[in-house]
Amino acid sequence: MAPGTDRKASYDASGESEEVVSTISNSMNPLQSPDASSEEPFTTYFDSKIPIPEDETHSCFSFRKLWAFTGPGFLMSIAYLDPGNIESDLQSGAIAGFKLLWVLMLATIIGLLLQRLAARLGVVTGLHLAEVCNRQYQKVPRIILWLMVELAIIGSDMQEVIGSAIAMNLLSVGKIPLWGGVLITIADTFVFLFLDKYGLRKLEALFGFLITIMALTFGYEYVTVKPDQGNLLKGLFVPYCQNCGTPQLEQAVGIVGAVIMPHNMYLHSALVKSRQVNRTNKREVQEANKYFFIESCIALFVSFIINIFVVSVFAEAFFEKTNENVSAVCTNASSPHSSLFPNNNKTLEVDIYKGGVVLGCYFGPAALYIWAIGILAAGQSSTMTGTYSGQFVMEGFLNLRWSRFARVLLTRSIAITPTLLVAIFQDVEHLTGMNDFLNVLMSLQLPFALIPVLTFTSLPSVMNDFANGLFWKIGGGVVILVVCSINMYFVVAYVMALNHMALYIGAAILSVIYLSFVAYLTWLCLIALGVSFLACGKTYHLGFAAHPELFLLNNVDADSVVTR
């Protein structure tokens, strides 16, 4: 009997085999595993996995086990605290006051549910999302998917690195130019990334420290400004936006786009592989899923509180303020940045650079420098997790077997080169237009993470007993449809504002190509969800049915698993 078959039998304690979804219309299954190779999946991280302690005294819940599983969720949550999210938060407060806090909460909850799917895929299969895509999709769709995800990572990375550079510029009172901050960020990211050579726990502790810095710095701003708690609670729990117009609607859409990021699905599905889980033991897999979900809830709650700090500060202090108001205050405070704000009655527009300047004008230099420290922590931490995402995606899709330094150098170069060009040719005071473009770019890539993760977590041949049930199939499909539709609205609004016929024509051509590929992925997803008539009468196995050994144990034999 083949090893994979033996493993599958040991996994199904009842001896009952799952009925594999069958479909697809032509002679080749678009989701079949590529030819194979009996080679083991190439792992580049987490070779020494963190063991999970046995706790016989607490069968239902153990804090010792929760602590052992704690780490991946907090690294994942950093994407909810990157400079792009911070900028979205402060703009939300300045444009709509407290009125959109409920949108932020709803987006965070939706993000949590989607992250749950990504984590379960990694735990159950022992493969992260990019590896699963590599094994399941045909060559051309796989390459297109990889390119789309790389674009999302580059867009996110540009915001993160430039966020760090802006923080350095503020802390140095303009002495460190934008391009200098980018080079410093690149250099120290290389240093920090090799910390995992000294143990995963040390690396996770570093990220925990950076999250703590963000909580303390943005918490300081919150205490200093003293937002109205009644308005805060009303904005949080009353899903209504009184007297809101197009700017507020676009800001609400921007919040959803900033919170739910495509590369984070790939990252989280890989990070959960760092724990030692015997995948032949159904109880251990259930336990891992449970503790990873609890940890994700805690991590995203912390990130949500930090986001609330930022929204509340700008909602209380700068909602409905005009450039004239701010210019007068900055001039009276003898701020060197008072020229940033023209002396007119237009509503104040802020980004993370101007936001720090305004805080300094109203609440003193300490507020500016503490804000900059928080932005630096956000940029530095999200740059590192973004780099990990890039490496997981590239290794998973392309099955690279290079030395670690070569992989880091390649993935960093791809993401950093456009960032450095922007930093050299763009002024630190005029980056808002670029951020709008990057947000649109990442919004476009969202289906290329959400559709695959729903597809594979719904396949019994991939997830076995842990495949999505009817509730998660319908609920997940509806959530993904809503999120992608919201982001498409944001993209259309951005394109319509360009006011140039050539750009309209170009956007129309790209839209046809883009929507065709999304439709292809959606077709396969619907088949995985059980809409069998779309298979056009042909029957082929979806998932890992041909090579179950690729996922059941992550190529760890049952007898080699450490006894706990």
Side-chain angles (χ1 to χ4, degrees), residues 165-197:
I166 286 173
M168 292 178 194
N169 183 274
L170 287 171
L171 287 169
S172 66
V173 199
K175 289 184 172 59
I176 298 178
L178 198 60
W179 60 266
V182 168
L183 291 175
I184 293 171
T185 302
I186 296 169
D188 61 31
T189 299
F190 270 104
V191 174
F192 288 137
L193 280 174
F194 285 91
L195 275 180
D196 66 353
K197 302 297 286 184

mmCIF file of all heavy atoms in Angstrom, residues 165-197:
data_model
loop_
_atom_site.group_PDB
_atom_site.id
_atom_site.type_symbol
_atom_site.label_atom_id
_atom_site.label_comp_id
_atom_site.label_asym_id
_atom_site.label_seq_id
_atom_site.Cartn_x
_atom_site.Cartn_y
_atom_site.Cartn_z
ATOM 1 N N ALA A 165 10.298 55.143 6.544
ATOM 2 C CA ALA A 165 11.139 56.260 6.107
ATOM 3 C C ALA A 165 10.553 57.600 6.544
ATOM 4 O O ALA A 165 11.290 58.516 6.946
ATOM 5 C CB ALA A 165 11.299 56.212 4.589
ATOM 6 N N ILE A 166 9.229 57.734 6.480
ATOM 7 C CA ILE A 166 8.575 58.967 6.932
ATOM 8 C C ILE A 166 8.789 59.155 8.431
ATOM 9 O O ILE A 166 9.059 60.272 8.913
ATOM 10 C CB ILE A 166 7.068 58.919 6.599
ATOM 11 C CG1 ILE A 166 6.860 59.120 5.093
ATOM 12 C CG2 ILE A 166 6.292 59.980 7.383
ATOM 13 C CD1 ILE A 166 5.425 58.911 4.637
ATOM 14 N N ALA A 167 8.684 58.054 9.187
ATOM 15 C CA ALA A 167 8.914 58.146 10.636
ATOM 16 C C ALA A 167 10.329 58.627 10.936
ATOM 17 O O ALA A 167 10.544 59.469 11.823
ATOM 18 C CB ALA A 167 8.665 56.783 11.281
ATOM 19 N N MET A 168 11.310 58.104 10.201
ATOM 20 C CA MET A 168 12.699 58.541 10.404
ATOM 21 C C MET A 168 12.875 60.001 10.033
ATOM 22 O O MET A 168 13.627 60.737 10.683
ATOM 23 C CB MET A 168 13.651 57.662 9.578
ATOM 24 C CG MET A 168 13.732 56.226 10.048
ATOM 25 S SD MET A 168 14.814 55.241 9.002
ATOM 26 C CE MET A 168 14.355 53.584 9.529
ATOM 27 N N ASN A 169 12.189 60.434 8.979
ATOM 28 C CA ASN A 169 12.255 61.829 8.569
ATOM 29 C C ASN A 169 11.706 62.748 9.663
ATOM 30 O O ASN A 169 12.285 63.803 9.970
ATOM 31 C CB ASN A 169 11.471 62.010 7.272
ATOM 32 C CG ASN A 169 11.546 63.418 6.717
ATOM 33 O OD1 ASN A 169 10.761 64.283 7.092
ATOM 34 N ND2 ASN A 169 12.502 63.660 5.823
ATOM 35 N N LEU A 170 10.589 62.335 10.274
ATOM 36 C CA LEU A 170 10.009 63.137 11.359
ATOM 37 C C LEU A 170 10.909 63.155 12.583
ATOM 38 O O LEU A 170 11.114 64.201 13.215
ATOM 39 C CB LEU A 170 8.629 62.581 11.739
ATOM 40 C CG LEU A 170 7.475 62.834 10.763
ATOM 41 C CD1 LEU A 170 6.250 62.030 11.168
ATOM 42 C CD2 LEU A 170 7.132 64.322 10.695
ATOM 43 N N LEU A 171 11.455 61.996 12.943
ATOM 44 C CA LEU A 171 12.301 61.913 14.134
ATOM 45 C C LEU A 171 13.598 62.705 13.971
ATOM 46 O O LEU A 171 14.152 63.211 14.957
ATOM 47 C CB LEU A 171 12.630 60.448 14.437
ATOM 48 C CG LEU A 171 11.478 59.609 14.998
ATOM 49 C CD1 LEU A 171 11.840 58.135 15.007
ATOM 50 C CD2 LEU A 171 11.109 60.072 16.408
ATOM 51 N N SER A 172 14.088 62.797 12.728
ATOM 52 C CA SER A 172 15.349 63.515 12.487
ATOM 53 C C SER A 172 15.123 64.962 12.096
ATOM 54 O O SER A 172 16.061 65.643 11.677
ATOM 55 C CB SER A 172 16.141 62.801 11.386
ATOM 56 O OG SER A 172 15.446 62.878 10.149
ATOM 57 N N VAL A 173 13.880 65.437 12.201
ATOM 58 C CA VAL A 173 13.506 66.802 11.818
ATOM 59 C C VAL A 173 13.923 67.086 10.370
ATOM 60 O O VAL A 173 14.500 68.135 10.059
ATOM 61 C CB VAL A 173 14.111 67.854 12.776
ATOM 62 C CG1 VAL A 173 13.356 69.186 12.657
ATOM 63 C CG2 VAL A 173 14.083 67.388 14.202
ATOM 64 N N GLY A 174 13.684 66.109 9.503
ATOM 65 C CA GLY A 174 13.944 66.292 8.083
ATOM 66 C C GLY A 174 15.360 66.015 7.641
ATOM 67 O O GLY A 174 15.669 66.110 6.448
ATOM 68 N N LYS A 175 16.259 65.677 8.584
ATOM 69 C CA LYS A 175 17.662 65.465 8.202
ATOM 70 C C LYS A 175 17.864 64.163 7.414
ATOM 71 O O LYS A 175 18.782 64.062 6.601
ATOM 72 C CB LYS A 175 18.551 65.480 9.441
ATOM 73 C CG LYS A 175 18.686 66.863 10.063
ATOM 74 C CD LYS A 175 19.660 66.852 11.233
ATOM 75 C CE LYS A 175 19.949 68.265 11.742
ATOM 76 N NZ LYS A 175 18.775 68.988 12.197
ATOM 77 N N ILE A 176 17.041 63.148 7.705
ATOM 78 C CA ILE A 176 17.128 61.894 6.942
ATOM 79 C C ILE A 176 16.103 61.968 5.816
ATOM 80 O O ILE A 176 14.897 61.982 6.070
ATOM 81 C CB ILE A 176 16.841 60.673 7.836
ATOM 82 C CG1 ILE A 176 17.869 60.567 8.957
ATOM 83 C CG2 ILE A 176 16.853 59.386 7.000
ATOM 84 C CD1 ILE A 176 17.624 59.411 9.915
ATOM 85 N N PRO A 177 16.550 62.044 4.561
ATOM 86 C CA PRO A 177 15.594 62.137 3.444
ATOM 87 C C PRO A 177 14.824 60.824 3.279
ATOM 88 O O PRO A 177 15.189 59.793 3.858
ATOM 89 C CB PRO A 177 16.490 62.418 2.234
ATOM 90 C CG PRO A 177 17.814 61.841 2.603
ATOM 91 C CD PRO A 177 17.940 62.022 4.093
ATOM 92 N N LEU A 178 13.799 60.870 2.457
ATOM 93 C CA LEU A 178 12.949 59.692 2.263
ATOM 94 C C LEU A 178 13.767 58.506 1.759
ATOM 95 O O LEU A 178 13.643 57.382 2.260
ATOM 96 C CB LEU A 178 11.829 60.033 1.280
ATOM 97 C CG LEU A 178 10.616 59.100 1.270
ATOM 98 C CD1 LEU A 178 9.944 59.064 2.633
ATOM 99 C CD2 LEU A 178 9.629 59.528 0.196
ATOM 100 N N TRP A 179 14.627 58.726 0.759
ATOM 101 C CA TRP A 179 15.407 57.620 0.195
ATOM 102 C C TRP A 179 16.388 57.056 1.225
ATOM 103 O O TRP A 179 16.670 55.848 1.246
ATOM 104 C CB TRP A 179 16.135 58.054 -1.077
ATOM 105 C CG TRP A 179 17.110 59.187 -0.914
ATOM 106 C CD1 TRP A 179 16.878 60.520 -1.097
ATOM 107 C CD2 TRP A 179 18.481 59.077 -0.521
ATOM 108 N NE1 TRP A 179 18.008 61.257 -0.843
ATOM 109 C CE2 TRP A 179 19.012 60.392 -0.492
ATOM 110 C CE3 TRP A 179 19.318 58.008 -0.195
ATOM 111 C CZ2 TRP A 179 20.338 60.658 -0.135
ATOM 112 C CZ3 TRP A 179 20.644 58.268 0.152
ATOM 113 C CH2 TRP A 179 21.142 59.580 0.177
ATOM 114 N N GLY A 180 16.898 57.934 2.101
ATOM 115 C CA GLY A 180 17.801 57.472 3.158
ATOM 116 C C GLY A 180 17.081 56.566 4.140
ATOM 117 O O GLY A 180 17.613 55.533 4.575
ATOM 118 N N GLY A 181 15.850 56.949 4.500
ATOM 119 C CA GLY A 181 15.049 56.121 5.400
ATOM 120 C C GLY A 181 14.727 54.768 4.792
ATOM 121 O O GLY A 181 14.706 53.744 5.486
ATOM 122 N N VAL A 182 14.494 54.761 3.456
ATOM 123 C CA VAL A 182 14.217 53.488 2.762
ATOM 124 C C VAL A 182 15.437 52.569 2.838
ATOM 125 O O VAL A 182 15.317 51.376 3.148
ATOM 126 C CB VAL A 182 13.827 53.745 1.285
ATOM 127 C CG1 VAL A 182 13.819 52.438 0.489
ATOM 128 C CG2 VAL A 182 12.463 54.410 1.214
ATOM 129 N N LEU A 183 16.633 53.119 2.593
ATOM 130 C CA LEU A 183 17.851 52.307 2.646
ATOM 131 C C LEU A 183 18.104 51.771 4.057
ATOM 132 O O LEU A 183 18.501 50.609 4.224
ATOM 133 C CB LEU A 183 19.050 53.132 2.173
ATOM 134 C CG LEU A 183 19.075 53.491 0.682
ATOM 135 C CD1 LEU A 183 20.248 54.409 0.370
ATOM 136 C CD2 LEU A 183 19.156 52.227 -0.172
ATOM 137 N N ILE A 184 17.868 52.597 5.074
ATOM 138 C CA ILE A 184 18.043 52.147 6.462
ATOM 139 C C ILE A 184 17.061 51.023 6.777
ATOM 140 O O ILE A 184 17.428 50.013 7.399
ATOM 141 C CB ILE A 184 17.853 53.328 7.436
ATOM 142 C CG1 ILE A 184 18.984 54.349 7.268
ATOM 143 C CG2 ILE A 184 17.806 52.821 8.881
ATOM 144 C CD1 ILE A 184 18.771 55.640 8.024
ATOM 145 N N THR A 185 15.815 51.191 6.334
ATOM 146 C CA THR A 185 14.793 50.172 6.589
ATOM 147 C C THR A 185 15.161 48.852 5.922
ATOM 148 O O THR A 185 15.001 47.775 6.509
ATOM 149 C CB THR A 185 13.420 50.641 6.079
ATOM 150 O OG1 THR A 185 13.085 51.869 6.717
ATOM 151 C CG2 THR A 185 12.342 49.613 6.383
ATOM 152 N N ILE A 186 15.665 48.919 4.690
ATOM 153 C CA ILE A 186 16.083 47.710 3.987
ATOM 154 C C ILE A 186 17.191 47.004 4.772
ATOM 155 O O ILE A 186 17.155 45.784 4.984
ATOM 156 C CB ILE A 186 16.584 48.040 2.566
ATOM 157 C CG1 ILE A 186 15.445 48.608 1.721
ATOM 158 C CG2 ILE A 186 17.174 46.808 1.892
ATOM 159 C CD1 ILE A 186 15.908 49.208 0.410
ATOM 160 N N ALA A 187 18.178 47.782 5.217
ATOM 161 C CA ALA A 187 19.327 47.196 5.918
ATOM 162 C C ALA A 187 18.906 46.544 7.230
ATOM 163 O O ALA A 187 19.282 45.395 7.509
ATOM 164 C CB ALA A 187 20.378 48.285 6.173
ATOM 165 N N ASP A 188 18.126 47.269 8.057
ATOM 166 C CA ASP A 188 17.796 46.675 9.357
ATOM 167 C C ASP A 188 16.796 45.531 9.222
ATOM 168 O O ASP A 188 16.748 44.628 10.056
ATOM 169 C CB ASP A 188 17.327 47.727 10.372
ATOM 170 C CG ASP A 188 16.085 48.471 9.953
ATOM 171 O OD1 ASP A 188 15.249 47.895 9.260
ATOM 172 O OD2 ASP A 188 15.936 49.646 10.343
ATOM 173 N N THR A 189 15.987 45.528 8.136
ATOM 174 C CA THR A 189 15.091 44.389 7.906
ATOM 175 C C THR A 189 15.895 43.119 7.662
ATOM 176 O O THR A 189 15.569 42.052 8.179
ATOM 177 C CB THR A 189 14.171 44.661 6.702
ATOM 178 O OG1 THR A 189 13.380 45.821 6.975
ATOM 179 C CG2 THR A 189 13.244 43.489 6.446
ATOM 180 N N PHE A 190 16.976 43.225 6.891
ATOM 181 C CA PHE A 190 17.841 42.072 6.672
ATOM 182 C C PHE A 190 18.378 41.530 7.993
ATOM 183 O O PHE A 190 18.423 40.318 8.218
ATOM 184 C CB PHE A 190 19.025 42.454 5.770
ATOM 185 C CG PHE A 190 18.760 42.265 4.315
ATOM 186 C CD1 PHE A 190 18.497 43.345 3.485
ATOM 187 C CD2 PHE A 190 18.776 40.999 3.753
ATOM 188 C CE1 PHE A 190 18.259 43.162 2.131
ATOM 189 C CE2 PHE A 190 18.537 40.811 2.392
ATOM 190 C CZ PHE A 190 18.283 41.894 1.577
ATOM 191 N N VAL A 191 18.775 42.435 8.871
ATOM 192 C CA VAL A 191 19.321 42.012 10.170
ATOM 193 C C VAL A 191 18.260 41.300 10.994
ATOM 194 O O VAL A 191 18.475 40.190 11.506
ATOM 195 C CB VAL A 191 19.870 43.239 10.948
ATOM 196 C CG1 VAL A 191 20.290 42.817 12.355
ATOM 197 C CG2 VAL A 191 21.045 43.846 10.198
ATOM 198 N N PHE A 192 17.092 41.916 11.127
ATOM 199 C CA PHE A 192 16.033 41.353 11.968
ATOM 200 C C PHE A 192 15.543 40.001 11.437
ATOM 201 O O PHE A 192 15.188 39.114 12.210
ATOM 202 C CB PHE A 192 14.855 42.322 12.065
ATOM 203 C CG PHE A 192 15.144 43.527 12.898
ATOM 204 C CD1 PHE A 192 14.743 44.797 12.491
ATOM 205 C CD2 PHE A 192 15.819 43.423 14.107
ATOM 206 C CE1 PHE A 192 15.005 45.922 13.252
ATOM 207 C CE2 PHE A 192 16.088 44.544 14.884
ATOM 208 C CZ PHE A 192 15.677 45.787 14.458
ATOM 209 N N LEU A 193 15.519 39.858 10.101
ATOM 210 C CA LEU A 193 14.966 38.634 9.524
ATOM 211 C C LEU A 193 15.774 37.395 9.881
ATOM 212 O O LEU A 193 15.259 36.284 9.865
ATOM 213 C CB LEU A 193 14.868 38.762 7.999
ATOM 214 C CG LEU A 193 13.667 39.533 7.488
ATOM 215 C CD1 LEU A 193 13.763 39.723 5.993
ATOM 216 C CD2 LEU A 193 12.376 38.817 7.831
ATOM 217 N N PHE A 194 17.038 37.587 10.213
ATOM 218 C CA PHE A 194 17.864 36.427 10.536
ATOM 219 C C PHE A 194 17.836 36.110 12.038
ATOM 220 O O PHE A 194 18.555 35.238 12.495
ATOM 221 C CB PHE A 194 19.292 36.654 10.048
ATOM 222 C CG PHE A 194 19.417 36.504 8.556
ATOM 223 C CD1 PHE A 194 19.276 37.590 7.715
ATOM 224 C CD2 PHE A 194 19.640 35.260 7.985
ATOM 225 C CE1 PHE A 194 19.359 37.449 6.339
ATOM 226 C CE2 PHE A 194 19.729 35.104 6.604
ATOM 227 C CZ PHE A 194 19.597 36.201 5.774
ATOM 228 N N LEU A 195 16.978 36.813 12.768
ATOM 229 C CA LEU A 195 16.833 36.506 14.190
ATOM 230 C C LEU A 195 16.263 35.119 14.424
ATOM 231 O O LEU A 195 16.501 34.509 15.459
ATOM 232 C CB LEU A 195 15.917 37.539 14.867
ATOM 233 C CG LEU A 195 16.552 38.829 15.359
ATOM 234 C CD1 LEU A 195 15.500 39.705 15.998
ATOM 235 C CD2 LEU A 195 17.670 38.550 16.346
ATOM 236 N N ASP A 196 15.476 34.612 13.462
ATOM 237 C CA ASP A 196 14.880 33.295 13.683
ATOM 238 C C ASP A 196 15.934 32.190 13.698
ATOM 239 O O ASP A 196 15.648 31.069 14.120
ATOM 240 C CB ASP A 196 13.769 32.998 12.664
ATOM 241 C CG ASP A 196 14.289 32.858 11.244
ATOM 242 O OD1 ASP A 196 15.475 33.117 11.023
ATOM 243 O OD2 ASP A 196 13.495 32.486 10.355
ATOM 244 N N LYS A 197 17.158 32.512 13.273
ATOM 245 C CA LYS A 197 18.242 31.542 13.405
ATOM 246 C C LYS A 197 18.550 31.288 14.884
ATOM 247 O O LYS A 197 19.141 30.271 15.236
ATOM 248 C CB LYS A 197 19.507 32.045 12.697
ATOM 249 C CG LYS A 197 19.323 32.333 11.218
ATOM 250 C CD LYS A 197 18.952 31.110 10.418
ATOM 251 C CE LYS A 197 20.128 30.187 10.217
ATOM 252 N NZ LYS A 197 19.757 29.033 9.348
#
